[in-house]
Amino acid sequence: MSAVHSAIDMRRLPWIRPLVTAYATDFAGVAEFFAGDPAEPKAWAQTIGRVQGAPHPREAIERLVSAQLDRRAAPAEARAAARRLADPATVAVVTGQQAGLFGGPLYTLLKAITAIQLARRVERDHHVPAVAVFWVDSEDHDWQEVRKATVLDGELSPVSVVASDVPGAGSRPVASLVFDEGITASLAALEQSLAPTEFTADVKALLGRHYRPGASVATAFAGVIDALLGEHGLVVFDAADAGAKPLVADLFARELEQPSLTARLVREAGARLAERGHEPQVVPGEDSVALFYLDESGRRAIKRRGADFTIGDAAWPAAALRAEAAAHPERFSPNVLLRPIVQDRLFPTVCYVAGPSELAYQAQLVETYRAFGVEAPLLYSRASATLADSAALKFLDRAQLPLEALHARDDSALNRLLETQIPPGVDRAIADTEQLIVERAAVLTQLVAGIDPTLSGAVDTTRDRMRETLVSLHGKIVQALKRKDDTLRRQFIRTRALTFPDGHPQERAVSMPFFLNRYGVRVGDRLLQTLPLDTSQHYLMAL
């Protein structure tokens, strides 16, 4: 039996940005912002040809990736897939994410699964070797973003587990941060927050192998992704590898030789998007440079000042900074705009599996790819899903509630549901009473007009008060039904807590340990087998 309970058109979901739905349903309207339409087989064939013919450091990147996988003792299937990257015919389907605590939100898993599924489809349909690659964005220094994992406890209430600060947190790239003894306490807090299941011991063992004192934040995250999906050939790459920097040093040099070119091209693309009714994802400043500088102080933005540059409070002559980039490319890190260009120079990327924000970023980058001489990949939206248990699914079916009705944080959907439980005779009686009040008040107005014309206003006021009293009575009936049908209310609240904790879509709000604990550490295998590849739909899943 299929694990898909129902498929929901993305256009019904209020939290999905219009650009994402336009990309899926009206590609022609946004075609100029993308490399091709992933719904068209011809676009795949053309992109494969472009990428295979473009220069990539295939042998060098294979050595780097294989060395990483060996150090992490990744599954043999992942290491075999990595070796295929040296083949000039190989293409890659790439996705990625920050190194979130304990594996990050559910959508991290959904991204990786989509990449694996697509790589398999490319091999089958186009007869070329294809490798799924997960890019760990480990040079990000946003510690607050990655240090927290949120799970649902036994009552389905959100509980946040936070990793304690470590030296350099908040300024240095997360790849350089190393967990101390505090991570042991974080693991204990996580275990205490999860409802015990038959899988709890396995989850504890899996996370404990990777999240331990002395492990780096990025390596721990990469190790968990290896463990979950490496057996399916997913190749996990830590982007902070210093050995990769010389392979893209020319891109760093070009950004410094044409300072703010990337920012200008991105702003111009954003303006064109805005003309079509789509808000730009980013509007970089005129002094923006798409690089950070890495030193003992951390990861610091580079700004243009006239013909030269500044890093923090320090001025850098343009020639000196370009020489620094040529001699020490490991001291430079791409920002969110240059990262895709770097990624797709290193890997023969035929397609990138993007989340909504990434798709919006990429919509502003087509001209930037051309400026740097890098082939732009197709984009494919990641799978989107909500995992629910049988109790929640039975409630939704019985109540005939669409999933998106639970998104609102107020009780409007619950009240509408309760109103459907009111016996039809009650609503008819109230409506008839209101109509009678209006009719009799009209008669009374005519009668009193001959006595004292000013009494007409009093009649109107009395009529309005009586109608307000009826509305109040209707509300009291609804409240009585709430008290009478506590079971319905509890089921509603429980289902909403599971699917939209604190009003946020489950896939964004809830971290992977909750799902591993509920469905087992092989949950990725089950989703890989059952999750459809049509990502124009959001799937309500029963595992």
Side-chain angles (χ1 to χ4, degrees):
M1 186 174 67
S2 173
V4 176
H5 176 269
S6 57
I8 303 160
D9 190 314
M10 285 287 194
R11 289 170 290 189
R12 284 170 42 190
L13 307 181
W15 61 90
I16 299 298
R17 63 173 67 209
L19 180 61
V20 174
T21 55
Y23 185 77
T25 62
D26 181 28
F27 184 82
V30 294
E32 70 171 278
F33 301 101
F34 300 101
D37 184 357
E40 293 293 332
K42 183 186 294 186
W44 285 91
Q46 291 173 343
T47 306
I48 289 169
R50 287 191 291 105
V51 169
Q52 286 177 325
H56 298 283
R58 291 178 176 272
E59 293 185 358
I61 198 66
E62 184 274 322
R63 288 193 297 270
L64 284 175
V65 173
S66 292
Q68 285 190 18
L69 296 176
D70 288 343
R71 287 194 297 271
R72 295 198 306 267
E77 295 85 351
R79 286 187 263 187
R83 289 192 291 271
R84 302 172 74 194
L85 290 168
D87 183 345
T90 295
V91 295
V93 176
V94 181
T95 193
Q97 189 59 37
Q98 293 172 308
L101 185 65
F102 302 141
L106 174 62
Y107 67 68
T108 303
L109 190 64
L110 299 178
K111 276 185 167 184
I113 287 169
T114 308
I116 295 169
Q117 291 176 325
L118 273 177
R120 291 176 176 176
R121 192 171 78 176
V122 167
E123 284 206 343
R124 184 191 68 231
D125 293 352
H126 298 278
H127 310 292
V128 296
V131 175
V133 175
F134 191 100
W135 174 285
V136 181
D137 188 9
S138 52
E139 287 196 321
D140 198 315
H141 57 282
D142 189 350
W143 174 241
Q144 297 302 320
E145 181 75 16
V146 303
R147 70 184 298 217
K148 183 176 73 172
T150 298
V151 296
L152 305 181
D153 64 15
E155 302 299 321
L156 297 182
S157 296
V159 178
S160 292
V161 178
V162 179
S164 58
D165 288 340
V166 296
S171 59
R172 288 165 41 195
V174 297
S176 67
L177 304 182
V178 176
F179 289 117
D180 56 21
E181 292 295 334
I183 194 62
T184 304
S186 298
L187 277 168
L190 176 68
E191 184 181 7
Q192 186 175 12
S193 300
L194 293 170
T197 71
E198 60 183 301
F199 306 116
T200 301
D202 293 337
V203 176
K204 180 180 179 181
L206 169 64
L207 296 178
R209 282 197 302 273
H210 301 285
Y211 286 88
R212 51 183 173 74
S216 83
V217 173
T219 300
F221 173 85
V224 169
I225 305 300
D226 285 336
L228 295 178
L229 292 171
E231 290 181 5
H232 300 285
L234 182 68
V235 172
V236 181
F237 176 68
D238 181 349
D241 195 321
K245 299 299 180 69
L247 306 179
V248 291
D250 63 312
L251 301 182
F252 298 164
R254 186 170 301 183
E255 176 66 12
L256 294 173
E257 287 165 2
Q258 304 177 73
S260 299
L261 172 64
T262 296
R264 178 174 63 80
L265 293 175
V266 168
R267 284 198 306 273
E268 291 172 354
R272 294 196 301 275
L273 274 173
E275 290 173 358
R276 288 157 179 77
H278 299 292
E279 184 177 353
Q281 177 69 18
V282 61
V283 182
E286 293 187 2
D287 62 346
S288 175
V289 177
L291 287 170
F292 289 94
Y293 187 70
L294 306 175
D295 60 16
E296 64 281 355
S297 298
R299 185 175 184 245
R300 298 189 289 159
I302 301 173
K303 298 292 184 181
R304 181 171 62 87
R305 178 178 292 174
D308 296 322
F309 301 94
T310 61
I311 301 174
D313 295 329
W316 279 76
L321 193 59
R322 288 196 291 268
E324 176 82 348
H328 296 286
E330 74 280 1
R331 297 177 183 171
F332 292 79
S333 171
N335 76 356
V336 69
L337 301 178
L338 193 58
R339 180 202 56 74
I341 316 297
V342 168
Q343 165 195 284
D344 299 332
R345 166 66 69 78
L346 290 173
F347 291 96
T349 310
V350 69
C351 180
Y352 184 80
V353 175
S357 295
E358 290 171 309
L359 190 138
Y361 275 119
Q362 290 273 6
Q364 295 180 243
L365 290 179
V366 168
E367 293 301 326
T368 305
Y369 272 94
R370 294 193 182 105
F372 282 87
V374 175
E375 293 294 339
L378 299 176
L379 298 180
Y380 202 91
S381 292
R382 66 162 173 83
S384 181
T386 298
L387 308 188
D389 56 24
S390 59
L393 296 175
K394 287 177 182 176
F395 166 74
L396 289 171
D397 288 343
R398 187 168 58 253
Q400 297 185 323
L401 271 179
L403 176 67
E404 64 270 23
L406 303 176
H407 182 235
R409 297 193 66 181
D410 58 30
D411 283 346
S412 56
L414 175 59
N415 289 337
R416 287 194 298 271
L417 176 61
L418 290 170
E419 285 175 0
T420 66
Q421 311 302 306
I422 300 175
V426 173
D427 278 338
R428 281 200 304 271
I430 289 178
D432 290 347
T433 301
E434 182 176 12
Q435 182 63 31
L436 183 60
I437 289 171
V438 171
E439 291 174 355
R440 302 315 298 168
V443 172
L444 187 58
T445 298
Q446 293 177 352
L447 292 173
V448 302
I451 301 171
D452 183 348
T454 63
L455 291 175
S456 296
V459 173
D460 290 344
T461 300
T462 302
R463 178 201 62 205
D464 291 343
R465 286 176 180 171
M466 293 174 71
R467 295 176 70 185
E468 289 172 3
T469 301
L470 275 177
V471 171
S472 176
L473 176 60
H474 186 269
K476 289 178 180 179
I477 293 171
V478 170
Q479 292 301 318
L481 280 167
K482 285 184 179 181
R483 292 191 298 271
K484 182 179 178 182
D485 203 339
D486 285 339
T487 300
L488 183 65
R489 184 178 181 84
R490 286 197 302 271
Q491 289 172 341
F492 177 92
I493 292 172
R494 180 188 182 279
T495 304
R496 182 173 62 181
L498 175 61
T499 55
F500 293 98
D502 282 344
H504 303 293
Q506 180 199 77
E507 61 184 7
R508 300 182 188 180
V510 184
S511 298
M512 274 199 269
F514 171 77
F515 303 99
L516 301 177
N517 184 63
R518 174 169 272 219
Y519 302 109
V521 295
R522 309 299 298 189
V523 65
D525 301 5
R526 297 166 66 184
L527 286 170
L528 191 58
Q529 294 167 3
T530 58
L531 192 62
L533 195 47
D534 175 6
T535 58
S536 67
Q537 307 285 313
H538 178 89
Y539 298 99
L540 184 57
M541 306 283 291
L543 295 184

